[in-house]
Amino acid sequence: MTRTAISPRLAIRIFDSTDDNVGGVDLPPHPQAVRVDTPAHLAERGWRLWKVDETGSTNTDLAEAAAAGAPDRTVLRTDHQTAGRGRLDRRWDAPPGTNLLVSILHRQVPDPPVALTHRTGLALVRAVAATTGADSRLKWPNDLLLVGDDGEARKAAGMLAQACPDGSVIVGCGINIGWAPEGAARLGDTVTPGELLEALLGEFDRLGDDAEAAYRGNLDTIGRAVRVETPTGTIEGRATGVAPDGSLEVLDACAVTHRIGVGDVIHLRPT
């Protein structure tokens, strides 16, 4: 079984700000951040890459930078997070320098905003294949699973999106490369965090207007028997689709379709 926390609204958090900023102030998104040489093909598309050795949370840093006017496609990567969080405020940590820990500021936000994490997840699947050749899949709502030699799919990455008062959205990613917690997977030493990030951004831009359909086609949860533990009880059934707002649709044994909000989804083994 594989387990993950779920949220229909991308676990979006709102950061308060009284500033009326529209973006464009190209200042460091962290006091100790330094500019990273950006490949020409990424710079031409407006990506601005920054790196800091250690921080509390790259998502929090970018939220503050967004309030100060940071431009669209500002990217902050770190070697170590001391206060990283996943969905449902779960602690997320990794040894320094081992994994890709990155957040991306988007000021051009689609409707619905959940499409940004869908597109990022799909781009990550393609970036992993391009850089490592590994077989990866998406698990609803925004986890990446790696298929091991034993055929088991284990979590190797997760994403968390946060909304800012000005309408911009930050998508944070944690991807296991050199280290993974017990029961999880990692990409291994054939790719560096910087190489994977460049591949991820490139694949994000290469995706077409059909990214939502491609996301659903790469979503391993659809069609599976699942058990979902919610704050109000447990639902079992078959995952049949994803609603426009990002909610998971589950058909139970009584032919009732549930749109699931917050909880834990478990992929059940075929019986």
Side-chain angles (χ1 to χ4, degrees):
M1 296 188 300
T2 352
R3 179 188 294 263
T4 187
I6 61 176
S7 167
R9 303 297 190 279
L10 317 178
I12 284 180
R13 302 171 185 168
I14 304 297
F15 283 78
D16 293 328
S17 171
T18 57
D19 294 330
D20 184 17
N21 295 309
V22 296
V25 182
D26 200 6
L27 298 174
H30 184 283
Q32 281 77 50
V34 296
R35 283 295 290 263
V36 176
D37 288 337
T38 305
H41 71 282
L42 296 179
E44 290 170 357
R45 301 301 297 268
W47 297 107
R48 296 169 172 86
L49 276 57
W50 296 83
K51 184 176 180 292
V52 63
D53 290 339
E54 180 177 296
T55 188
S57 163
T58 53
N59 267 27
T60 300
D61 292 337
L62 269 193
E64 295 173 355
D72 183 41
R73 294 192 164 204
T74 296
V75 179
L76 179 62
R77 176 166 73 93
T78 188
D79 286 334
H80 188 222
Q81 286 192 136
T82 59
R85 298 285 175 180
R87 289 186 303 278
L88 303 182
D89 258 353
R90 289 170 173 164
R91 178 68 183 269
W92 198 96
D93 198 5
T98 56
N99 295 339
L100 175 56
L101 312 173
V102 65
S103 295
I104 304 167
L105 172 64
H106 294 278
R107 292 197 177 274
Q108 298 181 29
V109 179
D111 183 20
V114 68
L116 276 176
T117 44
H118 292 176
R119 190 180 186 95
T120 303
L122 182 59
L124 183 56
V125 168
R126 298 186 178 187
V128 166
T131 56
T132 71
D135 179 13
S136 64
R137 307 169 183 173
L138 293 173
K139 182 180 180 183
W140 186 89
N142 44 28
D143 285 340
L144 180 129
L145 309 178
L146 275 187
V147 181
D149 294 336
D150 59 359
E152 289 290 326
R154 297 177 176 87
K155 181 175 177 177
M159 287 162 282
L160 180 69
Q162 300 180 349
C164 298
D166 62 2
S168 60
V169 170
I170 297 159
V171 178
C173 304
I175 303 155
N176 301 333
I177 295 179
W179 175 89
E182 183 178 356
R186 66 186 183 94
L187 296 181
D189 300 328
T190 59
V191 64
T192 68
E195 291 168 345
L196 184 61
L197 176 57
E198 290 180 10
L200 169 62
L201 300 178
E203 293 294 343
F204 185 94
D205 281 335
R206 276 188 282 273
L207 290 172
D209 295 336
D210 61 345
E212 276 296 297
Y215 162 79
R216 285 165 170 76
N218 281 267
L219 193 59
D220 198 41
T221 303
I222 295 179
R224 281 187 175 271
V226 297
R227 180 168 67 248
V228 186
E229 299 167 1
T230 77
T232 58
T234 299
I235 298 170
E236 288 197 17
R238 186 165 300 278
T240 57
V242 176
D245 68 352
S247 299
L248 182 67
E249 298 174 335
V250 176
L251 181 68
D252 68 16
C254 297
V256 175
T257 296
H258 303 260
R259 284 191 173 181
I260 301 197
V262 177
D264 286 312
V265 61
I266 302 166
H267 287 182
L268 301 177
R269 296 180 182 274
T271 58

